[in-house]
Amino acid sequence: MGPRLVFDTYDDIRGRCDTAPVRQTGSKPGYDHGAIVPGDDWVPLTPEEAERHQADDSTPDSIRIELVHRPLPPLDPDDLFGRLETAARLDPLNGRWPTTLLGCASRPGNWTTTTEDAATGRRIGLHVDNFDRLPYLKRRQGRRRLCLNLGPGPRYLLIGDRDIQRICRTLHTDLERHHPHTEDIRRYVAAGHPLRCLRIRLDPGDGYIAPTEFLAHDGSTAGIDQPSVAAFWLGQPPNAS
């Protein structure tokens, strides 16, 4: 199954969500070899596509994406320290369930994807997180990531339309001992299997709760001139499914 978004009507996400096919970077400077990035031919999500991606009461948490909003204090566009202080003080969910602050990442505008490998400084493209290091059979049980855009500019959440278990089933036969990894996404695309990407706009104060251990994802500032700071938390809703 692919990602499911929590919203009431199409008007709630109209003009905020687009979709495009992905491509492999090859040896693009600044990227891992073979990293997966979205193409440039974005088209708005249609009402029919939105309906297919809409979560309902039966949708498991492992593919559910919730868009959230938190008011931010007034900050100067160049006040990076103020944004870091805001993240440290903020309870992003007002006590709904416990979260642990991972940290913040500041990124410039006009980056196709934003996540870098700290060891190499290269961007990794669409990937799955591995904080919980869960194998294939338990992958749905990973903690959720909460991200909040602290501005000053907008940014995007990118989400692949195939979950990592589906990708791994296509590639592997011995799944019981397999640990899903970003390389699985790259092998899947390199073999010619279809993968599209959803792009969801996050203005300052906007954020998301998403199963980033289970869904291919990244951030993006493509087409946006301003930099932005994203704050990240990990947590697990009570009775997560």
Side-chain angles (χ1 to χ4, degrees), residues 1-4 58-60 63 140 160-164 166 169 214-215:
M1 297 177 69
R4 298 292 185 268
S58 67
T59 302
I63 58 170
R140 289 180 177 271
D161 70 347
R162 302 285 192 277
D163 67 62
I164 194 63
R166 180 172 178 180
R169 283 197 301 272
F214 197 68
L215 297 175

Side-chain angles (χ1 to χ4, degrees), residues 77-129:
D78 297 325
D79 187 1
L80 173 61
F81 184 74
R83 286 175 168 78
L84 301 179
E85 278 197 324
T86 296
R89 294 194 307 265
L90 192 63
D91 178 356
L93 294 178
N94 282 332
R96 280 174 53 191
W97 36 274
T99 56
T100 300
L101 179 64
L102 291 175
C104 299
S106 177
R107 294 292 181 261
N110 289 305
W111 276 20
T112 302
T113 62
T114 58
T115 302
E116 292 179 313
D117 183 334
T120 66
R122 293 192 296 266
R123 281 175 269 175
I124 62 176
L126 291 179
H127 62 281
V128 285
D129 290 340

Side-chain angles (χ1 to χ4, degrees), residues 51-228:
E51 184 176 357
R52 290 198 296 272
H53 284 293
Q54 187 173 20
D56 58 28
D57 291 342
S58 67
T59 302
D61 289 320
S62 58
I63 58 170
R64 179 187 295 264
I65 299 170
E66 180 179 352
L67 302 179
V68 298
H69 182 82
R70 292 281 288 155
L72 300 177
L75 293 166
D76 185 273
D78 297 325
D79 187 1
L80 173 61
F81 184 74
R83 286 175 168 78
L84 301 179
E85 278 197 324
T86 296
R89 294 194 307 265
L90 192 63
D91 178 356
L93 294 178
N94 282 332
R96 280 174 53 191
W97 36 274
T99 56
T100 300
L101 179 64
L102 291 175
C104 299
S106 177
R107 294 292 181 261
N110 289 305
W111 276 20
T112 302
T113 62
T114 58
T115 302
E116 292 179 313
D117 183 334
T120 66
R122 293 192 296 266
R123 281 175 269 175
I124 62 176
L126 291 179
H127 62 281
V128 285
D129 290 340
N130 242 328
F131 293 106
D132 295 332
R133 303 186 183 280
L134 294 175
Y136 172 88
L137 293 176
K138 296 183 177 180
R139 198 68 182 191
R140 289 180 177 271
Q141 301 171 18
R143 287 174 291 173
R144 311 305 187 258
R145 173 182 277 206
L146 168 61
C147 170
L148 197 66
N149 179 15
L150 303 180
R155 60 168 46 216
Y156 295 102
L157 166 65
L158 306 177
I159 293 283
D161 70 347
R162 302 285 192 277
D163 67 62
I164 194 63
Q165 282 188 333
R166 180 172 178 180
I167 287 171
C168 289
R169 283 197 301 272
T170 304
L171 298 173
H172 306 288
T173 55
D174 184 9
L175 289 168
E176 194 167 328
R177 290 180 288 181
H178 183 67
H179 281 70
H181 192 274
T182 296
E183 285 298 330
D184 291 315
I185 305 168
R186 297 174 183 178
R187 288 181 56 192
Y188 179 86
V189 173
H193 299 295
L195 185 66
R196 290 188 68 84
C197 185
L198 291 175
R199 182 177 72 171
I200 304 168
R201 182 182 175 95
L202 305 172
D203 289 319
D206 289 342
Y208 63 82
I209 303 168
T212 55
E213 306 254 332
F214 197 68
L215 297 175
H217 68 283
D218 207 329
S220 174
T221 59
I224 297 169
D225 292 331
Q226 289 179 293
S228 58

